[in-house]
């Protein structure tokens, strides 16, 4: 670990740590740095996000507003959960880290575009994964049908790129190209994820699943940080370093997300317990367990080779844990966070300037929902 990295970590340790039980409703009053940044992002981004969604054709707008939690299934105003706003917060915080606090406002449109792309992927993922709930209510496809959910996702992707194409900021062209490349990588990751589900458990390697997770999750967090850097006129090296920071933090995020997908509390996650196991997903803890070479790995492979019933979830989760999948995922997440910090110090060596980005990375990797 470099001296600069140690200084950054030391500076963070003198602040209020990001706890393991943050609530989606946390705000500035709780003194938590990540919560302050997330609340600021929602305040800055939501008006522009709503305005962008209102430009969609009525039928697509209705699905989108429901998905974001701003309307109910009948089209009436609602106070739903539009998400934690982690990705737009990364855009704005990266801009502030390199360009000072005043740089945030110039990057709002980029932050909106990233959040729209994220939600395009969620709409499609819910259909492909047959997820019935998200953010504690029925998913869009279960309410409006698969076709409407898919085409609304398609429209959101186009809307995000149009926002950047129409942005007069000098970085908008490079940002649009980078976001488009990210969308291709996201699709690559989703295709790999789906393909893995059709392969026998013993045929899947941990390296394959890590590569899939980087494309499916790390790519967009990296892109969010990179767009924030681009909007400050940062050089290629700093943009690349912040992209790498986001990717490593994204892998840590996915590792914890996979742990939550098996052992998370449905009252906090908004999804059924063991949903990933019921779908026989080759998540990171599962593949780590399957490739551990332990007796429990063989037991898990046998359980995964047959159709699952609801009552089978608990013994499968226990087999994953006995084979070391949970411990490996948590240790690997910590290692990825260490790598993320090293990348961050390349672009933002000043601990005070880098603190916001690190707070957000800590938030997503210490969460329980």
């Amino acid at each position: 670990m470099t001296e600069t990295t140690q200084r950054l970590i030391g500076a963070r340790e003198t602040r209020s740590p990001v706890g393991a039980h943050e609530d989606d409703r946390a705000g500035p009053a709780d003194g938590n740095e990540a919560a302050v940044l997330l609340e600021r992002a929602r305040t800055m981004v939501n008006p522009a996000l709503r305005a962008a969604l209102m430009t969609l054709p009525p039928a697509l707008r209705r699905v989108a507003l429901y998905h974001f939690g701003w309307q109910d299934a009948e089209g009436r105003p609602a106070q739903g959960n539009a998400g934690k706003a982690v990705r737009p917060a990364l855009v704005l915080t990266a801009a502030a880290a390199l360009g000072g606090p005043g740089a945030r406002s110039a990057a709002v449109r980029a932050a909106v575009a990233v959040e729209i792309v994220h939600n395009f992927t969620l709409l499609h993922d819910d259909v492909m994964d047959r997820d019935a709930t998200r953010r504690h209510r029925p998913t869009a496809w279960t309410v409006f049908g698969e076709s409407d959910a898919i085409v609304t996702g398609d429209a959101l992707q186009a809307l995000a790129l149009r926002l950047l194409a129409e942005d007069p900021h000098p970085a908008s062209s490079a940002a649009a190209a980078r976001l488009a490349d990210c969308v291709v990588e996201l699709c690559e990751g989703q295709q790999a994820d789906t393909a893995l589900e059709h392969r026998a458990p013993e045929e899947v390697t941990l390296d394959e699943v890590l590569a899939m997770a980087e494309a499916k999750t790390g790519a967009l967090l990296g892109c969010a940080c990179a767009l924030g850097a681009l909007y400050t006129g940062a050089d290629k090296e700093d943009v690349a370093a912040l992209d790498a920071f986001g990717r490593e933090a994204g892998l840590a995020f996915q590792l914890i997300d996979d742990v939550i997908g098996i052992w998370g509390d449905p009252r906090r996650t908004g999804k059924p317990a063991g949903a990933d196991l019921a779908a026989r997903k080759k998540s990171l803890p599962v593949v780590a367990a399957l490739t551990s070479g332990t007796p429990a790995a063989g037991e898990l492979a046998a359980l995964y080779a047959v159709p699952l019933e609801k009552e089978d979830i608990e013994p499968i989760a226990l087999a994953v844990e006995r084979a070391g999948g949970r411990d490996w995922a948590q240790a690997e997440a910590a290692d990825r966070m260490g790598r993320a910090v090293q990348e961050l110090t390349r672009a933002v060596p000043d601990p005070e300037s880098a603190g916001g980005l690190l707070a957000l990375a800590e938030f997503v990797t210490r969460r329980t929902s």
Side-chain angles (χ1 to χ4, degrees), residues 98-174:
L98 288 176
R104 288 191 185 95
S105 58
V108 166
R109 190 176 292 221
V112 173
V114 167
E115 184 68 351
I116 289 175
V117 162
H118 173 54
N119 282 276
F120 133 67
T121 69
L122 296 182
L123 280 166
H124 283 196
D125 286 0
D126 285 343
V127 173
M128 297 176 74
D129 296 341
R130 317 308 293 169
D131 284 337
T133 58
R134 178 174 293 282
R135 299 168 181 161
H136 303 277
R137 65 180 192 158
T139 46
W141 74 270
T142 67
V143 175
F144 300 100
E146 294 181 26
S147 296
D148 279 5
I150 290 169
V151 296
T152 300
D154 293 340
L156 287 181
Q157 180 193 164
L159 179 61
L161 293 174
R162 188 183 76 191
L163 282 173
L164 292 178
E166 294 176 349
D167 190 353
H169 194 283
S172 63
S173 178

